Amino acid sequence: ASIVARNLNIKFSELGHAVRERHQALRSEMSLVDFADRQFSDFGPTTFVADVAREISDSVRHIVVGARRPEEVAFLHAQGFNLEIVWIEAATNERVLRRCASLEDVEYFQHRDRVESRWGIQTMRELADLHVRNDAGDLQELAQEISTWWNCR
């Protein structure tokens, strides 16, 4: 997202950053996905996106990264934000290899996928305006494809 934002000279916010900030502030020992799941249960499905929405200015183009729930997109729509949703997908084996390379074990990776499925992440795929494959893992190429699409709409 940061590469795309730089290419387009626009701001971006990451929902995962909001999760990590709250996780650290509360000194939680839970995994990030379990922490997010608990926060959603306790405070509702828009708890993190509400934090991020406060960073967005109506007059500035902005990328929001990491929505995992349709309710998060609905919240941003209800706030009056004009959204374009990009779904980036890679083959499961590629995703596993990348996560293992980043020291995330396969069991946790599979657990995270199950939790995100329960949140409705597949609905996010269906809502997307653009679908991009990223099996090669080339972030510059991925950013260029998204930037080209963005500039042509």
Side-chain angles (χ1 to χ4, degrees):
S2 61
I3 297 169
V4 174
R6 275 195 308 273
N7 285 355
L8 298 172
N9 194 30
I10 60 178
K11 296 181 179 188
F12 83 99
S13 299
E14 183 182 351
L15 286 168
H17 183 71
V19 174
R20 285 187 295 280
E21 278 186 345
R22 193 178 304 175
H23 183 266
Q24 290 172 350
L26 296 175
R27 294 190 169 104
S28 175
E29 294 185 16
M30 300 171 80
S31 70
L32 283 173
V33 74
D34 291 331
F35 175 78
D37 198 39
R38 173 69 57 86
Q39 293 287 295
F40 289 141
S41 294
D42 291 349
F43 303 107
T46 61
T47 186
F48 296 110
V49 75
D51 293 345
V52 169
R54 287 190 278 280
E55 301 173 8
I56 302 172
S57 167
D58 290 337
S59 61
V60 178
R61 290 171 40 177
H62 201 102
I63 295 174
V64 177
V65 178
R68 298 290 194 267
R69 301 181 69 118
E71 298 94 337
E72 293 170 321
V73 172
F75 177 87
L76 291 172
H77 276 297
Q79 301 300 308
F81 297 113
N82 183 20
L83 304 177
E84 303 284 344
I85 300 171
V86 177
W87 177 265
I88 302 170
E89 187 165 14
T92 300
N93 61 330
E94 286 297 322
R95 294 174 57 238
V96 168
L97 289 173
R98 289 180 203 159
R99 290 298 173 188
C100 290
S102 69
L103 304 176
E104 186 175 287
D105 67 46
V106 175
E107 185 176 306
Y108 177 72
F109 174 80
Q110 292 168 337
H111 170 67
R112 192 187 73 190
D113 272 2
R114 285 189 302 273
V115 171
E116 290 179 350
S117 288
R118 196 175 68 244
W119 292 343
I121 196 164
Q122 286 305 314
T123 301
M124 296 299 300
R125 184 181 195 281
E126 296 163 13
L127 293 172
D129 300 294
L130 173 67
H131 293 93
V132 180
R133 296 286 310 175
N134 185 26
D135 292 322
D138 184 335
L139 295 179
Q140 290 294 337
E141 185 178 309
L142 177 68
Q144 185 58 48
E145 184 175 349
I146 295 169
S147 297
T148 299
W149 170 79
W150 181 278
N151 287 324
C152 291
R153 7 174 285 304

